[in-house]
Amino acid sequence: MFGRGRKIAPYLFISPFFIGYAIFFLYPVIQSLQLSFYRQVGLTNPPRFIGFDNYVRLVTKDDLFIKALTNTTYYALGSILIIVPLALLLALILHSPRLRFREFFRFLYFTPNITAGVVVGIVFGLVFEEQYGLINNLLLAPLGIDNVRWLREARWIMPAVILLGAWKWTGINAIYFMVGLQNIPPELNEAARVDGATRWQVFWHVTLPLLRPILAFVLTIAIIGSYNLFAEPAILVGLEGGPNNSGMTMTMYLYTRGFRELKMGYASAIGYSLAVIILVLSVIQLVLIRAFRED
Amino acid sequence: MRLALSRPSDSAERKSLAMKLLEVTIVYAILFFFALLVGIPFLYMFTGSFKTNGQLFSWPVNLLASEPTLNNYERLLSGEEIPYLQQMGNSVIIAVSQSALTLLFASMVGWGFAKYEFRGKTFLTIFLLFTFTIPFQVTLVPLFQMIVRLGLLDSFLGVILPSSVSAFGAFFMRQAMVSIPQELLDAGRIDGASEWGLFWRIGIPLSRGALSILSVLVFLTAWNDYLWPLIVLRTPEKFTYPVGLATLNGLYKVEYGMILGGAFIATLPIVLIFFAGRNQILDNLTIGAVKQ
């Protein structure tokens, strides 16, 4: 089938992928854009063109959409603020020479990341349980803190999901930072030390600036991951997001509108809003990282 | 540490030794503390699977199982609530087929991009990178409609096919294959090998490392996926294990010991697979993303 023709061979090699990509990715991407301008409820009802109505409704009338957006943003910011410093700390420690059991710790810290979201959600349902849960009994009770109603009180749901996210994602981010640290030539640190810089100064003025590309990568992955969040909160507090929909994320919202209520056009508009938000956030993040380089 | 020119006094030396000891202690304390934070939920999942609901919800909290019972596993595996063994089998079939298809498509397209010059190559590369930024949620509704129209609702194919074309996999394999020396291919051509033969006999064997990493990553993703199987699969006999576990979790009377048992036996194999390939995978996590 590939003969000896070096001219057509590359096209034969790439075509299975690109045919599949066109059918299962590009076509749906375009179809979804079109659908987002239609009202279609159910699979068999004919779609009706309504222009920008879906988008207008999302932004001006749909409190639940705004809620899901707020929750997801809350999760993104909260988890980044916890994960990035912790991951950096762990990476610096794991990177230090003469550390024993390095492989063991690296492996252990990574395991939450390969655990299914559903499994994590189930286990953390017990971790956050009000009366008998691990956090309230093992972490907070010894500090004299009363039981927190993690999954039953609206304001505590997102903090619980953020802690779950930190548990799941800190390890892999530490490994990303370790890769970044390995790429920094050790001579740089040594030179700075010889010049009399303290360790803290070396970290702040040499290591951190050089980690910027990794930081950009980590933040991008974190933002995308936040907006993909689905299984964990869905298991933890249910697909409606628990009390006051406080655990409802964007992807959960898209799922309930699209696949429970079968509002095809509306769910497509949610999907596209999500794409725009992720794009904007990624650009902002890149600009910020670049701005820090200037000072 | 540099050698000091003047000999430090004894007390300074002792102080720095004490400082070092303190530092080492702090470092290991931090590592150990985080190891506990990471490990305890796993331990609790394991021991909890041997407990009754009464033992799970009792005070004080017991991280171990004082009177372990196998009842949860017996009831889970007998299929009295859900056909869990079958659901795990479904997950195996889906994850294996998805890995095989992804690997085939990705290695072929990666080979095409790594080893040939052709019209449209630059355009396709940029195009692929650009579409990389589009989140998958955008595609969910039309994909679902397509699956329904093709009659693939509630079928494994409906789960597998849309997930088998991975742009990430394509880039990953291209990165791995680009370093295969051109001389090998030239020599192969002189010996009369076909272009397919070069791919199959040189390209594939020489990128075994990358293929094994990619297969583990794809397998893990497919094994753990919840959203898409939840959308496509409709009957308990077709469910993958995460969808099955979620239904158990939503029952009126939630049997946590049983669910933890299901969670544990679904997690153990991937942790073992991952343990076997840990260094190769962890060292190459950022291929294509951060390298360069």
Side-chain angles (χ1 to χ4, degrees), chain A residues 203-252:
Chain A
F203 171 73
W204 195 249
H205 295 289
V206 180
T207 312
L208 209 52
L210 288 171
L211 282 179
R212 218 183 272 115
I214 292 277
L215 190 63
F217 174 74
V218 160
L219 290 179
T220 308
I221 299 275
I223 291 170
I224 293 171
S226 305
Y227 284 86
N228 286 349
L229 191 63
F230 177 78
E232 292 88 347
I235 298 295
L236 217 47
V237 287
L239 278 162
E240 300 294 330
N244 204 10
N245 307 104
S246 293
M248 172 84 90
T249 65
M250 287 285 273
T251 302
M252 283 160 76

Side-chain angles (χ1 to χ4, degrees), chain B residues 219-239:
Chain B
F219 185 90
L220 279 180
T221 313
W223 182 257
N224 290 341
D225 193 17
Y226 177 52
L227 179 55
W228 184 243
L230 177 70
I231 290 171
V232 174
L233 303 174
R234 298 297 157 117
T235 47
E237 286 71 29
K238 295 272 177 64
F239 284 171

